[in-house]
């Protein structure tokens, strides 16, 4: 009862729990829980034979948070910034700290630009994007797309129809940008011709 | 696999990773997994997720090549690799906070290094591939014990350790009522671990009945499908004698199955599986003076948390990425003793060439999917 000092009774007694659940209480004493306390000096697990590690060579100006004093001794090199998205990313890192919303919003914006850029770039490569197969949509038919959703009171079904919009949006946008660019180019040329005369 | 844009991934030939630092190793992946937190990347929700990036931070494999300063590993060694990349000697590593290593992630100071987890965590390519670069090979990986199954091992590299850590941060004492939000892999392991730490009652909340069935069977938990109640908070109060739980574990995270627009619907409808709804439910449904442990993945962009209630109720909020390697010795004992059988939750085995299908099944929760494992072509 909440309004008296006692805690409400448990549905099953401790003895019953110990009997039914393998290992019940094995780590009851916090000293058996390896991450307690959270901080302790020298947890003797490391295997490191350095105090400050050797530094990985920086092959291109590697972007970094301005909250760091210098480039960390080790870093990933998965996708160096390139194109317009790369410019936005470099700017977000060079200008704003992690404390600033602008930092993260610029990075998210760069991600969208990157998607459009990369998709367009893929069309002039040997491996063009395939918007359908890349979504794995086939499994909707082979792995019970309907039966996994209908009559199951799932809370996430509401937003599932939005997913295709998110997938298709960069494509539609890409097409619109291309169309606008072509129109601008052709118009510009016509304009030049008239001034020549 | 490589990321091609929101909801799109494909298989692509990439250059084999090379030794970039003297303490690197190249590991041939024999098992990888898709993690719930990979869905944040897949949905394009994590800032600085670049097209061309390979995901995957849960893996085991065989050492293929080692850098000149590697002393503890040799080619041919079977290793399991924690999802954290860490140096072993910085201020944080020296204090056992391996997830918070300061020497591996130039892109941010708030988070350490993670394999295949956008550039926000250092820009490392991930392990849903044939080969992966493992930095600080003398520090991160452990030899796979020969008695341990690869399927169990791959889950210990993140999901099990994180679930166990979630229960640890809950500071459970004997007989505590523990409520776990989310019956995905981390939630299931957190529920199971809560018993090891002496919980008196474990209640798991989710919206997918098949996952709740797993929670009942695998984790001996009481279960509750929140879609069946007008107000899950009131229901939780009712079943805990109007007191509330002593400990809550948020194993959902921000928008694990959503997108930007879900933010709106989540706030409006209060009926979404994504968070911060789960975290806010946790804050509201626990008793005063309770501890909340946050294990779900949250991105760097702010989320609206009911901080006033947390303050007024005197709650303790604890959270971090799991320092995986610190947990291993004890977790190995539990697996050996049979208290934990991590691989029991694996539902799907997907060849690397069908990765797009694997992501869709997992993301849309088709075919009663709980945990998919990736088997590379090379294996
Ligand atoms: Zn994970
Ligand atoms: Zn470190």
């Amino acid at each position: 009862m909440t309004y008296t000092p006692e805690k409400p009774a448990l549905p099953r007694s401790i003895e019953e729990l110990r009997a039914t659940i393998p290992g019940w209480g094995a780590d009851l004493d916090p000293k058996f829980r390896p991450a307690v306390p959270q901080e302790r000096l020298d947890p003797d697990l490391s295997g490191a034979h350095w105090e400050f590690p050797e530094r990985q060579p920086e092959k291109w100006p590697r972007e970094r948070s301005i909250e760091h004093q210098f480039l960390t001794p080790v870093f990933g090199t998965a996708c160096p910034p390139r194109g317009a998205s790369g410019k936005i990313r470099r700017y977000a890192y060079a200008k704003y700290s992690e404390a600033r919303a602008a930092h993260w919003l610029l990075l998210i914006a760069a991600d969208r630009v990157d998607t459009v850029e990369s998709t367009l770039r893929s069309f002039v490569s040997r491996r063009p994007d395939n918007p359908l197969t890349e979504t794995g949509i086939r499994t909707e038919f082979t792995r019970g797309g309907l039966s996994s959703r209908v009559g199951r009171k799932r809370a996430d079904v509401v937003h599932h129809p939005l997913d295709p919009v998110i997938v298709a949006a960069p494509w539609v946008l890409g097409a619109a940008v291309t169309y606008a660019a072509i129109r601008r180019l052709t118009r510009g040329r016509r304009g030049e011709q008239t001034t020549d005369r | 696999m490589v990321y091609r844009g929101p909801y799109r991934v494909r298989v692509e030939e990439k250059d084999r990773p090379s030794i970039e630092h003297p303490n690197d190793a190249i590991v041939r992946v024999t098992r990888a997994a898709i993690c719930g937190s990979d869905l944040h990347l897949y949905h394009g929700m994590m800032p600085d997720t670049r097209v061309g990036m390979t995901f995957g931070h849960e893996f085991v494999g065989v050492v293929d090549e080692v850098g000149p300063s590697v002393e503890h590993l040799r080619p041919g060694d079977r290793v399991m690799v924690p999802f954290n990349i860490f140096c072993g000697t910085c201020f944080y590593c020296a204090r056992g906070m391996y997830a918070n290593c300061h020497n591996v992630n130039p892109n941010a100071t708030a988070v350490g290094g993670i394999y295949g987890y956008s550039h926000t965590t250092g820009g490392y390519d991930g392990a849903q591939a044939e080969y992966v670069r493992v930095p600080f090979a003398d520090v991160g990986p452990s030899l796979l014990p020969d008695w341990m199954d690869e399927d169990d091992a791959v889950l210990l590299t993140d999901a099990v350790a994180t679930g166990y850590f979630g229960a640890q941060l809950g500071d459970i004492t004997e007989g505590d009522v523990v409520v776990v939000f989310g019956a995905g892999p981390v939630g299931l392991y957190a529920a199971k671990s809560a018993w090891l730490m002496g919980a008196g009652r474990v209640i798991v909340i989710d919206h997918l009945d098949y996952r709740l069935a797993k929670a009942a069977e695998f984790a001996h938990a009481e279960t509750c499908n929140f879609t069946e109640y007008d107000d899950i908070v009131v229901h939780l109060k009712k079943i805990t004698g109007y007191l509330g739980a002593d400990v809550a574990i948020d194993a959902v995270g921000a928008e694990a199955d959503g997108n930007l627009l879900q933010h709106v619907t989540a706030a409006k409808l209060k009926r979404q599986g994504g968070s911060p709804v789960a975290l806010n439910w946790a804050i509201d449904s626990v008793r005063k003076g309770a501890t909340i442990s946050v294990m779900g993945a949250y991105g760097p962009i702010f989320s609206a948390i009911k901080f006033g209630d947390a303050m007024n109720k005197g709650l303790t909020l604890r959270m971090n990425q799991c320092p995986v390697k610190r947990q291993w010795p004890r977790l190995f004992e539990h697996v050996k003793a049979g208290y934990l059988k991590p691989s029991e939750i694996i539902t799907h085995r997907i060849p690397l060439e069908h990765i797009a299908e694997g992501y869709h099944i997992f993301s849309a929760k088709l075919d009663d999917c709980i945990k998919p494992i990736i088997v590379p072509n090379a294996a």
Side-chain angles (χ1 to χ4, degrees), chain B residues 5 13-15 65 68 116 140 157 175 208-209 213 224 226 244 247 256 260 267 271 310 313 324 330 340 355 373 379:
Chain B
E13 280 291 324
K14 268 177 122 169
D15 290 341
E65 188 188 347
T157 61
L208 295 162
D209 282 327
C224 170
F226 68 79
V247 175
L260 267 178
R271 286 222 152 221
K313 289 177 80 170
V324 173
R330 187 62 174 167
L340 275 171
I355 193 76
I373 298 293

Side-chain angles (χ1 to χ4, degrees), chain B residues 229-291:
Chain B
Y229 302 93
D230 269 348
D231 191 331
I232 185 65
V233 171
V234 174
H235 177 69
L236 281 169
K237 286 281 168 68
K238 264 187 203 164
I239 62 172
T240 52
Y242 290 92
L243 193 67
D246 301 294
V247 175
I249 300 168
D250 168 7
V252 177
E255 314 190 78
D257 42 37
N259 50 52
L260 267 178
L261 290 160
Q262 198 197 352
H263 244 331
V264 182
T265 54
K268 282 228 167 80
L269 303 172
K270 282 266 181 196
R271 286 222 152 221
Q272 298 290 327
S275 241
V277 176
L279 182 51
N280 284 331
W281 279 346
I283 289 170
D284 285 328
S285 62
V286 293
R287 70 165 167 83
K288 287 162 234 185
T291 300

Side-chain angles (χ1 to χ4, degrees), chain A residues 63-76:
Chain A
E63 67 286 359
R64 68 174 167 89
S65 164
I66 52 175
E67 292 179 45
H68 264 301
Q69 191 180 352
F70 44 68
L71 187 68
T72 55
V74 162
F75 50 87

Side-chain angles (χ1 to χ4, degrees), chain B residues 170-192:
Chain B
D171 259 338
I172 296 166
T173 55
E174 183 170 331
D176 272 353
V177 176
V178 179
V179 55
V180 180
F181 290 89
V186 170
L188 293 172
Y189 294 127
K192 188 125 181 167

Side-chain angles (χ1 to χ4, degrees), chain B residues 202-205 211-216 221-225 229 235:
Chain B
V202 177
I203 305 162
V204 176
I205 316 290
R211 300 212 297 189
L212 290 168
K214 197 77 183 179
E222 292 170 54
T223 60
C224 170
N225 187 326
Y229 302 93
H235 177 69

Side-chain angles (χ1 to χ4, degrees), chain B residues 34-38 57-58 83 117 158-159 162 186 371:
Chain B
I34 308 182
C35 175
S37 61
D38 285 333
H57 55 264
E58 307 183 330
F83 78 83
Y117 211 75
D158 178 3
T162 299
V186 170
K371 187 72 177 178

